[in-house]
Amino acid sequence: MSHINVTINGRQFRMACEEGQEARLLKLAESLETRIQGLRGKFGEIGDARLTVMAALTVCDELLDAEQRIRNLEQELNTLRDVRVAAADRAKSTQIAVAKALNSAADRIEKTTQVLNRTIGGGVAIG
């Protein structure tokens, strides 16, 4: 377990984190500090607790929006997968139908060739 100091709303806090997560925790604290400073610039001095709560609510709002976007994208991805499977099934059916049609045409050509060969072979010899 690692410990680092972060500054949030002008105050230092000693925080614990997993080894290797120090930079991420610092980045998170900087992001929160930036939000608090932005709110302070927008609303003035309205109290530390209120600024912190407003910043937390802003983060939660963004998180809920992001979660909804993720759900929407997951639904879209599932729909696209279903469409892809249906298209692959149709392509396979079409391929089978084309192969059957070609085989049928080849059989008819073969039979026609055999009939023509018998007709020509059974005809009158010239000479």
Side-chain angles (χ1 to χ4, degrees):
M1 190 65 64
S2 210
H3 290 86
I4 61 170
N5 291 322
V6 298
T7 303
I8 298 174
N9 199 16
R11 292 194 178 120
Q12 289 255 332
F13 296 91
R14 184 161 174 81
M15 306 293 293
C17 63
E18 297 291 327
E19 293 291 331
Q21 293 297 311
E22 297 86 358
R24 180 170 175 82
L25 183 55
L26 284 171
K27 187 174 181 178
L28 292 170
E30 287 172 13
S31 176
L32 184 57
E33 177 68 9
T34 300
R35 290 171 192 276
I36 290 171
Q37 293 306 321
L39 290 169
R40 186 182 313 273
K42 190 174 185 179
F43 297 108
E45 291 297 328
I46 59 172
D48 292 345
R50 183 179 245 174
L51 281 172
T52 303
V53 168
M54 289 173 68
L57 289 173
T58 302
V59 170
C60 288
D61 183 50
E62 290 175 7
L63 178 61
L64 287 175
D65 287 348
E67 288 172 344
Q68 184 60 49
R69 285 193 304 269
I70 289 169
R71 279 192 297 277
N72 291 342
L73 289 170
E74 286 172 340
Q75 288 174 351
E76 185 177 338
L77 179 61
N78 288 333
T79 299
L80 291 172
R81 284 181 179 149
D82 292 345
V83 167
R84 184 193 61 171
V85 167
D89 289 345
R90 280 193 305 273
K92 188 172 183 173
S93 295
T94 301
Q95 184 181 18
I96 290 169
V98 167
K100 285 181 180 179
L102 288 173
N103 286 335
S104 177
D107 288 344
R108 287 194 309 269
I109 290 170
E110 182 65 32
K111 287 178 184 174
T112 302
T113 301
Q114 289 173 359
V115 168
L116 288 173
N117 284 339
R118 280 194 300 252
T119 302
I120 292 172
V124 179
I126 301 177

